[in-house]
Amino acid sequence: MKLLVTGGCGFIGSALIRLAVARGHAVFNLDALTYAANPANLSSVADLPSYTFAKVDLRDAAATADAVRQARPDAILHLAAETHVDRSIDGPMAFIETNVSGTANLLQAARDYRDSLPHQKRDDFRFLHVSTDEVYGALGAEGLFTETSAYQPNSPYAASKASSDMLVRAWGKTYGLPVLITNCSNNYGPCQFPEKLIPMVILSALRGATIPVYGGGENVRDWLFVEDHAEALLAVLEAGRVGEVYNIGGNAECRNIDLVTRLCSMLDTARPATRPYAEQISFVTDRPGHDFRYAIDAGKIKVELGWRPSTALDDGLARTVQWYLDNEAWWRPILDGRCGQERLGTRRASPPA
Ligand code: NAD
């Protein structure tokens, strides 16, 4: 297939492109190259004839429509987004512009393009929207998110993704665009921007800096290795039922403090220092509106499409730690630009007078 991937220079998009190209697909990567992008993530495919890149900002409707016409895709996989919850607390409007308006621009472009296709190609066309489990809000100690859980987003990021999901659904219902939506749990793995929890912990530890843990570290996340997510996305694209939502999860719940401690002990083995890395852990003021627990019931994608995560959490974490140890040339320039290690997202509304 000829795939148009948005956000392909980011963490998950680049893993998806590497997999898609390896599977024999041609890929057109549309990315605005924001701070979160890193073209080096795609150095292994950059020179292949099956790979094309276009620097396009989804907030620009005309440029987006041009790119879609130029790419002539069989399917669009939409990953481009502002993705960091803490940044969404400090500056929510960027999230509305890219995640909501940008998605609407892409949907319009996809709709016009699909309408121009001959019959068979029009029927076969797919629009896969990649979203997050954060749209469902927070769970207590028990229960799992299913595809029918109510939307209760708590952060501006989650609200912007929830909005984009609604737009995708509406373009499917109203205009017959053959849409699919996936909602996935927290990803981790190589090439993740250092502002996210796992690379932040690894790189803070290696620099001898404080390893900040929000609140008491009690919050629980379900972790999925990024390559498993990429596999799931191709499975949904190839065999998912049009109009359906598929939850994707790692079946690997972990409290933040346990995750951080595990990473520290892996580093103690792989790169021993004069004292255990866990001594660098410091508990800091919690994120406003910090969701307590996310957990995914990934039964639907398993039963319908035969997908399940293949990387156990400890194996994936060990691979990730080793990747950051082996790839200082990837992360050093980001840290030297001081991007990705500063504390963000502490602003909340002023308390009532
Ligand atoms: P990322 O922040 O690493 O990358 C985002 C990419 O989108 C970057 O390459 C950036 O340049 C591009 N982009 C941003 N704004 C753009 C715009 N206006 N126009 C064009 N390109 C733009 O993100 P990620 O972690 O790889 O996440 C990818 C997708 O997966 C997102 O939609 C996110 O909501 C979703 N998701 C992420 C996770 C996770 O744990 N990281 C979990 C579930 C779902």
Side-chain angles (χ1 to χ4, degrees):
M1 280 196 272
K2 203 192 287 180
L3 308 178
L4 190 162
V5 175
T6 72
C9 293
F11 165 51
I12 302 171
S14 60
L16 173 65
I17 290 177
R18 293 191 298 271
L19 179 67
V21 168
R23 291 266 171 86
H25 298 296
V27 174
F28 184 104
N29 174 15
L30 181 165
D31 198 301
L33 299 182
T34 70
Y35 79 94
N38 194 337
N41 298 351
L42 291 166
S43 54
S44 61
V45 303
D47 296 328
L48 298 177
S50 55
Y51 173 76
T52 311
F53 172 72
K55 183 174 186 292
V56 175
D57 191 325
L58 291 176
R59 294 171 300 177
D60 182 338
T64 300
D66 278 350
V68 171
R69 279 193 296 269
Q70 186 198 333
R72 299 202 60 74
D74 301 311
I76 295 177
L77 295 100
H78 177 34
L79 290 88
E82 291 290 340
T83 61
H84 190 39
V85 174
D86 288 343
R87 284 181 191 270
S88 83
I89 296 168
D90 286 352
M93 295 318 290
F95 287 70
I96 307 304
E97 288 160 14
T98 283
N99 300 359
V100 184
S101 300
T103 297
N105 289 338
L106 184 65
L107 285 164
Q108 281 292 68
R111 177 186 159 213
D112 289 345
Y113 162 72
R114 177 175 175 266
D115 286 349
S116 74
L117 293 175
H119 254 303
Q120 189 59 50
K121 283 212 153 237
R122 189 160 49 199
D123 291 347
D124 292 346
F125 182 80
R126 296 286 181 271
F127 186 105
L128 196 170
H129 176 61
V130 178
S131 191
T132 167
D133 60 355
E134 300 191 30
V135 299
Y136 300 125
L139 290 166
E142 301 289 320
L144 300 169
F145 295 131
T146 71
E147 287 80 359
T148 55
S149 295
Y151 271 37
Q152 293 182 326
N154 291 323
S155 70
Y157 164 66
S160 70
K161 291 297 291 187
S163 306
S164 67
D165 294 5
M166 296 297 141
L167 292 173
V168 172
R169 178 189 156 89
W171 260 244
K173 294 282 180 195
T174 302
Y175 304 114
L177 192 68
V179 299
L180 299 138
I181 298 174
T182 57
N183 294 93
C184 186
S185 61
N186 279 38
N187 283 217
Y188 68 97
C191 302
Q192 188 167 30
F193 195 76
E195 67 191 356
K196 302 287 170 63
L197 179 64
I198 288 177
M200 189 273 292
V201 169
I202 297 169
L203 300 183
S204 299
L206 291 176
R207 288 186 305 131
T210 295
I211 302 171
V213 173
Y214 292 175
E218 296 293 324
N219 305 63
V220 176
R221 298 291 178 262
D222 170 26
W223 291 96
L224 178 69
F225 193 59
V226 66
E227 291 172 13
D228 282 337
H229 189 188
E231 294 271 1
L233 295 176
L234 290 185
V236 171
L237 178 70
E238 283 157 16
R241 286 182 294 133
V242 168
E244 291 291 318
V245 175
Y246 293 92
N247 281 356
I248 303 171
N251 208 11
E253 279 186 57
C254 193
R255 288 190 315 160
N256 284 351
I257 186 61
D258 297 332
L259 184 84
V260 172
T261 313
R262 259 153 120 161
L263 289 167
C264 287
S265 67
M266 285 178 181
L267 281 166
D268 287 337
T269 308
R271 179 74 59 89
T274 48
R275 56 185 184 134
Y277 288 105
E279 289 184 15
Q280 291 169 229
I281 294 172
S282 164
F283 294 97
V284 300
T285 318
D286 208 354
R287 166 192 283 167
H290 200 179
D291 289 336
F292 172 62
R293 176 172 165 263
Y294 306 136
I296 282 274
D297 175 349
K300 179 174 173 181
I301 188 171
K302 182 175 166 194
V303 169
E304 284 194 20
L305 307 180
W307 176 89
R308 68 179 74 186
S310 63
T311 310
L313 183 59
D314 274 334
D315 293 343
L317 290 178
R319 281 174 67 184
T320 305
V321 165
Q322 197 57 49
W323 188 86
Y324 282 93
L325 288 173
D326 293 343
N327 287 278
E328 183 167 349
W330 184 93
W331 52 261
R332 177 63 63 191
I334 301 171
L335 294 198
D336 286 349
R338 308 265 17 106
C339 189
Q341 296 283 292
E342 67 276 45
R343 178 74 200 265
L344 300 168
T346 49
R347 274 185 219 169
R348 61 160 80 238
S350 324

